[in-house]
Amino acid sequence: TPYMWMPGVSGPVYHNNTKIGDLNMSNGQVLDSLSIGAMLNGLVHYGRWGIMGNATYAKLRPSGTSSYQQGVNVDTDTTFWLGIYTVAGTYTAYADDSVYLDVLAGARFLNLNVKTALKGTVAATGYSADTTVYTQYNTTNPVAGVQGRIRMGESQFFVPFYLDVGGASQNSTFNSQQILGIGYTYKNIDTLLVYNNVYYKMNKDNFSARLDMGGPAIATTFRF
């Protein structure tokens, strides 16, 4: 299932208990800021058992970012590298002509790199216009959830859904992904229009952040 996801992205980034970035980007701004991106989802079944994988990678360089230093707003040049990868085993808990339900358990890996270059000087902090702060964040979390589809009457339309929750690690106290939308199936091809949301609450050493990404996605599934 290759797909195109256009989320809005929001959330603050802190370094040494000081907010160094406050990201708030609409769907259109994300598209304008996107340098490169790749998205792919896959599922393999053998009887009731299966394995699924999901990968999202993007490099963003938004315009108009800023850093708050001692009450002073300083313009910054910020670049984000983001990778989210999920792998899980699945088991078909229920299946008939109308409803298909998998339960799943696995892990999600997040890699977030942030480069923030200040364009001004704040004497009280020691940061000057040539200061660049690099922050790298990696976390792997167990996740568990459900996925499936509900057929709409006797038509070829269906409602796809996905929900997982995770956390319980030193670096990420909570994370979740939710997908809901509408799809149409034709022979061995499905087309889907869904809303996809990914949320992370993160902390590591002197770095903390909340990341909330949500927006529409278009996907095509090829069944073999």
Side-chain angles (χ1 to χ4, degrees), residues 59-105:
K59 178 182 177 182
L60 302 172
R61 191 173 182 178
S63 60
T65 58
S66 60
S67 175
Y68 301 94
Q69 307 290 336
Q70 298 292 322
V72 178
N73 187 29
V74 181
D75 290 337
T76 62
D77 184 3
T78 304
T79 304
F80 295 84
W81 292 266
L82 174 68
I84 304 173
Y85 312 98
T86 304
V87 178
T90 69
Y91 180 78
T92 303
Y94 185 84
D96 63 16
D97 291 339
S98 299
V99 178
Y100 185 90
L101 176 67
D102 275 354
V103 294
L104 62 93

